[in-house]
Amino acid sequence: MITEVLRSAFITRILEASTTLDITVTEQQSAALISYLELLIKWNKAYNLTAIRDPEEMFTKHILDSLSITKYITGNTILDVGTGPGLPGIPMAIMFPEKHFSLLDSNGKKTRFLVQAQLSLALANVEIFNVRVENLPDNKVFDQIMSRAFTALDNMVNLCKHLLTEKGQFLAMKGLVPEEEIQKLDANFQVKDINSLTVPGCFEQRHLITIEKTHKA
């Protein structure tokens, strides 16, 4: 569990990060983010949900990394494909209670954790799918489809393009800019933006690749 000293330090760092990222994080949201981290630490010991074990490293590389895309969440319906233990889906659902988030992963132990996190955090705006993305019902379409560690850009687009609204966006979180993956994109899709992400305390390169349909109705 997280000690009170560490909890206080994490909350302070969230407030500092909110200034760096130019976002607003309420006290309630900060508390929820730390509660989610506590759940992740607890379940990770038994279910190996993430390779990162150190609480401080988990805080930086999972919580702050997720918060770095906050200002790019503009849709009302968002799919987090290959969400794993809910990254960035759970932090974004905490940040945007008015938006609807669908969290999809084919790994049963990870979706069981997501169900527990949803219940513990009372996230009414979260829906969980334990299926492969190609088996998601066709009547599901989303304004934005985001991923953090799902697959290559071209695979992501090919697997999920039928789930995107006509004016929708793919938001792919990457380390280095994946130039080769960009070159392989479906001709009906194009990169709109490549944004360098700031993750306080993380010195590795982080980028957000925004992809849209080439021709819109």
Side-chain angles (χ1 to χ4, degrees):
M1 296 298 290
I2 294 175
T3 65
E4 285 304 314
V5 172
L6 194 55
R7 175 186 291 271
S8 178
F10 283 163
I11 289 177
T12 297
R13 287 173 62 187
I14 289 174
L15 293 175
E16 291 172 348
S18 69
T19 300
T20 301
L21 300 174
D22 193 25
I23 61 175
T24 299
V25 186
T26 67
E27 289 184 13
Q28 183 178 7
Q29 288 168 330
S30 294
L33 289 166
I34 301 306
S35 294
Y36 165 66
L37 179 60
E38 284 188 309
L39 278 173
L40 183 56
I41 292 169
K42 178 181 177 181
W43 277 63
N44 199 42
K45 291 177 181 177
Y47 293 96
N48 193 31
L49 302 174
T50 168
I52 299 174
R53 298 284 178 175
D54 177 67
E56 294 212 23
E57 191 176 4
M58 290 173 77
F59 174 78
T60 299
K61 293 190 174 181
H62 291 331
I63 303 301
L64 296 186
D65 187 64
S66 294
L67 289 179
S68 70
I69 69 164
T70 301
K71 63 183 180 182
Y72 302 101
I73 302 299
T74 57
N76 291 314
T77 55
I78 298 102
L79 171 65
D80 182 8
V81 61
T83 186
L87 297 161
I90 294 291
M92 290 301 93
I94 290 170
M95 293 299 296
F96 297 100
E98 76 283 5
K99 300 179 186 292
H100 184 82
F101 291 84
S102 294
L103 277 53
L104 181 148
D105 203 280
S106 61
N107 186 310
K109 66 182 180 181
K110 291 179 180 177
T111 53
R112 284 193 291 275
F113 167 73
L114 292 176
V115 170
Q116 184 58 53
Q118 179 190 31
L119 292 172
S120 298
L121 300 170
L123 296 174
N125 62 332
V126 167
E127 188 173 14
I128 297 161
F129 293 94
N130 178 211
V131 295
R132 295 178 65 86
V133 68
E134 52 265 41
N135 296 326
L136 196 64
D138 287 339
N139 63 344
K140 293 283 185 181
V141 290
F142 303 91
D143 299 325
Q144 292 181 306
I145 298 177
M146 61 185 182
S147 74
R148 185 168 178 260
F150 177 50
T151 186
L153 291 179
D154 53 319
N155 288 335
M156 178 187 180
V157 169
N158 290 334
L159 287 170
C160 305
K161 58 187 177 183
H162 64 291
L163 301 171
L164 194 67
T165 59
E166 187 60 30
K167 296 185 179 181
Q169 295 179 325
F170 285 103
L171 301 176
M173 300 177 72
K174 294 284 185 177
L176 298 173
V177 177
E179 300 288 357
E180 290 187 11
E181 295 177 19
I182 291 172
Q183 296 300 318
K184 295 178 182 178
L185 280 177
D186 183 316
N188 293 312
F189 290 84
Q190 63 184 354
V191 172
K192 181 193 176 188
D193 288 308
I194 299 177
N195 294 104
S196 179
L197 297 174
T198 299
V199 182
C202 179
F203 303 102
E204 300 163 8
Q205 287 194 45
R206 300 291 291 146
H207 291 88
L208 183 70
I209 317 298
T210 302
I211 299 168
E212 294 182 344
K213 292 183 180 180
T214 305
H215 305 291
K216 299 194 177 89

